[in-house]
Amino acid sequence: MTFDYDLFVIGGGSGGVRAARVAAQGGAKVALAEEDRYGGTCVIRGCVPKKLMVFASEYSGMVEDAQAYGWDIQPSAFDWGAFRGKLDAELDRLENVYRGILKNNGVETFDQRAKLADAHTVELADGTRMTAKHILLAMGGRPVMPGIPGDEHGITSNDIFHLEKLPESILIVGGGYIASEFAGILNGLGVKVTQYYRGAQILRGFDDEARGLVSEEMCQRGIDLHLGTNVLEMRKEGDKIWVKATNGDERVFDHVMFATGRAPNTENMGLEEIGVEIGRKGEVIVDDYSQTAVPSVYAVGDVTDRVNLTPVAIREGMAFVETVFNGNPTKPDHELIPTAIFTQPEMGTVGLSEEDAREQEPIEIYATSFKPMQQSFAGRSERVLMKLVVSQKTRKVLGCHIVAPGAGEMIQLAGIAVKMGATKEDFDRTVAVHPTMSEEIVTMKTPTRTA
Ligand code: NDP
């Protein structure tokens, strides 16, 4: 049987574009359909614009610090319009880079929605049907609203980048990556930020000590964080939003942003109709090689709800090409993925939290929390945390958790050692880089506690 294409990719985000490019470079005839902007969540409405906003928001504190260091400068107002104009231009540039990658590698693109008609047939929104030997689902995910009365008046992280003007006040609902990162960003930009999280501590799943410090520092910096609190109901009052909380508070905000999780984009895709298995949260069920229940259909990235991070989607896309086009069955490796949460302060983490590790085996904890030199000199009281979770038996470092400015940069490098299986003694043998914050990671001599 002959097909129009060797590979048809649905979705032009990180995972889809990488798989399309690498397959095409290897000689495959590849097509890709994208209904929105090329680059996907990460480039257009996630990691990239978010990180640029983190940078923008950090300058407010830097002016104060510079004054403390003797600079005669005064802070002036943040010009959201000017920043947004530059941000939009940067995202246009990046989208063109993504389009260029596909074009230059001979990938044919269709700027419209695509769904599956059968195991080898894709149907575009305009009704065109095309066949492919393999189909890769890479549609990503989208923010979901919690289903609270009045939540239609709320916005999501998708909308934040398009606000006409910065609000004076905002309520952020949720305690995950997105909620906590945007709380810091908007606070830094001068917005009065309130955050409601229904659980006992934000950033559930991460090391307790690390999330505790992030939460404490966020409050120190002026975020009005309410734990064990959720929105009960809300309604529009003029151009503001009235919110009643589960703790009885009634307040009015300019905006309410929900960061209450994301759902895979699998609706109305013709998936179940052709036998692709869908899980409880709407995710495409795949095996270790990213293959779905229909052998010609594979899926990578957030649509599979495995580890929802861009570099993981990229790895999954590469492993898919290796498996299907290079005859070399390759499982994407989901073990010991280093990651950063761009809260203020930042958290970098790899491996097991203290809580998860002690469920598995006897451990030693090495942890130190201190005021870093640069901030301390400027009169700030903020603390950083360097922490290692070590196996008593193998001496391997099972987890490394850093809360500090630049923790994302640090954990990338510590992640190599942990991935290599470094022991505590390997860390100890490494000479400290002085004076830095991260030198503490190789100078902690005695365990803080054992468990
Ligand atoms: P998360 O799943 O991390 O967090 C969702 C939050 O919303 C949780 O705190 C959850 O509470 C809360 N929540 C869920 N339902 C409700 C509800 N009905 N009412 C109130 N609160 C609710 O999702 P995010 O949207 O923050 O992020 C999605 C994913 O995107 C992340 O898991 C991550 O993989 C990725 N991401 C990565 C980033 C990075 O690498 N720096 C940055 C941003 C996103 P509870 O804990 O109680 O369930």
Side-chain angles (χ1 to χ4, degrees):
M1 190 173 167
T2 56
F3 298 98
D4 298 328
Y5 298 99
D6 298 315
L7 171 65
F8 199 106
V9 180
I10 305 181
S14 306
V17 169
R18 178 61 65 93
R21 166 168 74 84
V22 180
Q25 280 172 341
K29 188 171 182 221
V30 184
L32 183 149
E34 167 58 57
E35 64 174 332
D36 200 327
R37 297 185 66 184
Y38 286 73
T41 297
C42 175
V43 176
I44 303 297
R45 53 194 161 266
C47 328
V48 172
K50 179 274 307 282
K51 187 89 190 266
L52 290 168
M53 282 183 78
V54 169
F55 290 141
S57 70
E58 284 174 342
Y59 285 102
S60 53
M62 284 182 199
V63 175
E64 284 167 28
D65 287 359
Q67 288 171 335
Y69 274 85
W71 287 93
D72 180 16
I73 47 171
Q74 295 305 320
S76 54
F78 174 67
D79 184 344
W80 168 249
F83 171 75
R84 228 194 63 181
K86 282 202 74 176
L87 180 65
D88 289 346
E90 177 62 3
L91 299 188
D92 289 348
R93 186 186 72 79
L94 289 171
E95 182 178 12
N96 279 329
V97 169
Y98 273 74
R99 281 183 185 275
I101 288 171
L102 294 170
K103 188 160 177 267
N104 299 337
N105 287 288
V107 176
E108 216 174 314
T109 52
F110 299 94
D111 294 357
Q112 47 182 315
R113 188 174 169 79
K115 56 188 258 187
L116 301 197
D118 66 42
H120 290 285
T121 308
V122 170
E123 185 180 304
L124 298 180
D126 67 6
T128 314
R129 287 190 169 206
M130 282 165 289
T131 59
K133 187 162 188 219
H134 303 283
I135 295 170
L136 181 67
L137 306 173
M139 296 87 72
R142 62 180 189 286
V144 285
M145 291 301 214
I148 291 166
D151 70 7
E152 67 275 14
H153 302 301
I155 58 171
T156 69
S157 56
N158 284 356
D159 308 304
I160 281 283
F161 310 110
H162 305 295
L163 293 177
E164 276 306 313
K165 63 182 184 75
L166 272 186
E168 273 173 32
S169 66
I170 193 165
L171 169 66
I172 296 180
V173 186
Y177 280 78
I178 298 180
S180 306
E181 290 182 343
F182 276 99
I185 290 169
L186 293 167
N187 182 55
L189 294 179
V191 178
K192 189 170 172 359
V193 177
T194 306
Q195 185 179 358
Y196 287 172
Y197 172 53
R198 64 182 179 183
Q201 186 54 279
I202 58 168
L203 301 172
R204 182 165 62 83
F206 293 100
D207 186 86
D208 275 357
E209 201 173 0
R211 57 209 271 257
L213 180 57
V214 171
S215 154
E216 206 180 298
E217 293 291 341
M218 283 170 63
C219 295
Q220 283 288 331
R221 290 173 191 220
I223 295 164
D224 186 16
L225 173 63
H226 295 256
L227 299 172
T229 306
N230 207 351
V231 174
L232 205 54
E233 55 174 312
M234 53 195 261
R235 64 169 179 263
K236 201 115 180 116
E237 248 183 35
D239 55 1
K240 305 219 181 262
I241 298 166
W242 170 90
V243 176
K244 182 163 185 186
T246 49
N247 63 4
D249 274 5
E250 292 181 37
R251 297 207 212 174
V252 169
F253 301 94
D254 288 340
H255 281 295
V256 177
M257 179 183 129
F258 287 97
T260 46
R262 296 175 60 87
N265 284 327
T266 48
E267 279 167 20
N268 304 320
M269 289 294 302
L271 299 176
E272 280 162 302
E273 292 84 334
I274 69 156
V276 172
E277 209 186 322
I278 302 293
R280 209 169 51 82
K281 289 161 77 184
E283 75 278 18
V284 177
I285 307 280
V286 289
D287 68 9
D288 287 350
Y289 297 93
S290 301
Q291 191 173 31
T292 72
V294 175
S296 56
V297 180
Y298 286 72
V300 295
D302 287 7
V303 81
T304 64
D305 196 29
R306 285 177 280 183
V307 181
N308 298 333
L309 299 171
T310 267
V312 176
I314 289 173
R315 292 292 177 103
E316 290 169 357
M318 306 271 282
F320 155 77
V321 173
E322 201 55 30
T323 302
V324 173
F325 292 95
N326 299 344
N328 174 26
T330 304
K331 298 179 189 176
D333 180 358
H334 293 120
E335 293 299 310
L336 293 173
I337 295 169
T339 179
I341 305 133
F342 294 98
T343 40
Q344 298 176 33
E346 231 167 88
M347 187 200 298
T349 175
V350 61
L352 296 176
S353 65
E354 177 176 346
E355 296 70 38
D356 287 345
R358 72 174 177 230
E359 292 292 307
Q360 279 188 14
E361 58 181 300
I363 51 166
E364 283 175 359
I365 298 298
Y366 295 82
T368 175
S369 184
F370 56 95
K371 285 189 196 172
M373 188 184 195
Q374 186 182 3
Q375 287 74 12
S376 170
F377 185 87
R380 291 189 186 276
S381 62
E382 68 188 47
R383 285 183 303 128
V384 301
L385 172 73
M386 303 282 159
K387 176 168 179 176
L388 295 176
V389 179
V390 177
S391 162
Q392 284 190 20
K393 186 158 155 255
T394 66
R395 304 300 301 154
K396 274 189 184 167
V397 175
L398 304 173
C400 175
H401 311 283
I402 300 176
V403 177
E409 305 289 346
M410 297 179 203
I411 207 67
Q412 179 68 83
L413 303 179
I416 300 171
V418 175
K419 185 79 183 162
M420 287 175 76
T423 60
K424 176 67 173 66
E425 286 63 36
D426 291 326
F427 275 67
D428 293 345
R429 282 193 295 121
T430 307
V431 173
V433 178
H434 187 71
T436 64
M437 289 179 277
S438 52
E439 67 180 300
E440 298 289 332
I441 218 84
V442 298
T443 55
M444 293 184 284
K445 290 288 173 253
T446 44
T448 315
R449 56 189 168 271
T450 54

